[in-house]
């Protein structure tokens, strides 16, 4: 479960979104590190709640950009966000509630999804917004 190294290859070219991606990447890394260090549940739970809140905030910001630019891919993109919130974030919150154990597999899935989504769907969004002159 190595940390995600933030690098320019992860930029989608929209400064607001890139900043949010970098911030959430840092929070996910913090969670993985705390888990690897065996930090207690209170510490992990606090980070998880921060990740869940910020993921929601970030997805809302992307949705706003998509709506403003009439992105034809919006529904498929939002379905991916909902899937992530329901599966990965939902699972993390179940751990906070005491209904699930946190495992390395859950964290691997979380980090894999996050990087895959940024480099796939979100990069496509960046290209679309750039093409519409809406990349600032
Ligand atoms: Fe994103
Ligand atoms: Fe996205």
């Amino acid at each position: 479960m190595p940390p995600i190294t933030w690098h320019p290859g992860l930029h989608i070219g929209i400064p607001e979104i890139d900043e949010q991606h970098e911030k959430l990447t840092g929070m996910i890394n913090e969670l993985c590190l705390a888990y690897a260090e065996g930090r207690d549940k209170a510490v992990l739970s606090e980070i998880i709640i921060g990740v869940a809140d910020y993921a929601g905030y970030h997805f809302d910001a992307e949705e706003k950009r998509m709506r403003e630019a009439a992105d034809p891919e919006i529904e498929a993109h939002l379905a991916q966000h909902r899937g992530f919130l329901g599966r990965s974030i939902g699972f993390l919150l179940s751990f906070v509630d005491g209904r699930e154990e946190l495992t390395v597999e859950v964290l691997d899935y979380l980090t894999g999804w996050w990087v895959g989504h940024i480099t796939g769907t979100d990069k496509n969004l960046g290209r679309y917004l750039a093409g519409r002159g809406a990349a600032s």
Side-chain angles (χ1 to χ4, degrees):
M1 193 175 50
I4 303 165
T5 304
W6 187 257
H7 62 91
L10 295 175
H11 288 175
I12 72 161
I14 316 292
E16 177 201 16
I17 302 297
D18 286 331
E19 276 173 32
Q20 292 176 3
H21 284 165
E22 185 171 6
K23 177 167 174 170
L24 192 54
T25 297
M27 296 168 83
I28 290 170
N29 282 343
E30 188 187 355
L31 174 61
C32 291
L33 181 66
Y35 177 81
E37 289 177 340
R39 303 295 294 274
D40 64 32
K41 186 175 171 188
V43 171
L44 297 171
S45 295
E46 189 178 336
I47 302 170
I48 285 169
I49 288 165
V51 166
D53 283 351
Y54 199 75
Y57 169 78
H58 166 63
F59 290 159
D60 285 349
E62 275 187 9
E63 181 174 352
K64 184 164 175 282
R65 303 294 290 245
M66 287 184 248
R67 292 202 186 285
E68 285 169 354
D71 182 356
E73 300 297 328
I74 185 170
E75 288 309 326
H77 194 151
L78 295 183
Q80 289 186 27
H81 289 174
R82 280 195 298 274
F84 178 71
L85 292 173
R87 283 194 298 275
S88 285
I89 300 295
F91 194 95
L92 293 177
L93 293 173
S94 295
F95 164 75
V96 172
D97 289 345
R99 288 179 284 126
E100 297 284 357
E101 285 301 316
L102 196 54
T103 64
V104 82
E105 286 78 18
V106 169
L107 294 172
D108 279 345
Y109 181 84
L110 176 90
T111 55
W113 187 93
W114 177 243
V115 171
H117 184 78
I118 291 175
T119 54
T121 304
D122 285 349
K123 278 207 177 192
N124 287 338
L125 171 62
R127 278 190 284 270
Y128 177 76
L129 292 176
R132 304 271 299 188
S136 62

